[in-house]
Amino acid sequence: MQKETIAEIVRIAAVEVLNQREAIIQEEFDTRYLDVKLLMKNYRMLKVHYAHVSPETLEVNAIC
């Protein structure tokens, strides 16, 4: 084999490995984790907010 042929094969193999690596990373990355993290953050902020609100304000009639 010539050096040019070997270099071309190595280049093609490297590109294919990088494409497969990106596909594997995208499959493993789950956006649901970020959604849960955001929900928990907002839940904690809401819980702190309600700790400072009077019980009368929380009634359904007061909201309407």
Side-chain angles (χ1 to χ4, degrees):
M1 290 184 134
Q2 296 178 352
K3 289 185 179 183
E4 294 85 21
T5 308
I6 295 172
E8 184 67 22
I9 292 171
V10 169
R11 186 186 64 76
I12 292 171
V15 168
E16 190 64 32
V17 167
L18 289 176
N19 288 339
Q20 289 178 359
R21 180 175 176 255
E22 290 177 13
I24 290 170
I25 289 172
Q26 287 179 351
E27 287 176 8
E28 290 178 357
F29 183 75
D30 194 0
T31 57
R32 289 180 290 178
Y33 171 73
L34 295 176
D35 292 343
V36 171
K37 186 176 178 181
L38 182 63
L39 285 172
M40 289 304 298
K41 177 184 170 189
N42 289 335
Y43 172 76
R44 290 180 186 133
M45 289 182 350
L46 184 64
K47 190 175 173 182
V48 169
H49 175 73
Y50 279 138
H52 300 292
V53 175
S54 65
E56 296 85 27
T57 310
L58 296 177
E59 292 179 14
V60 176
N61 292 336
I63 295 173
C64 294

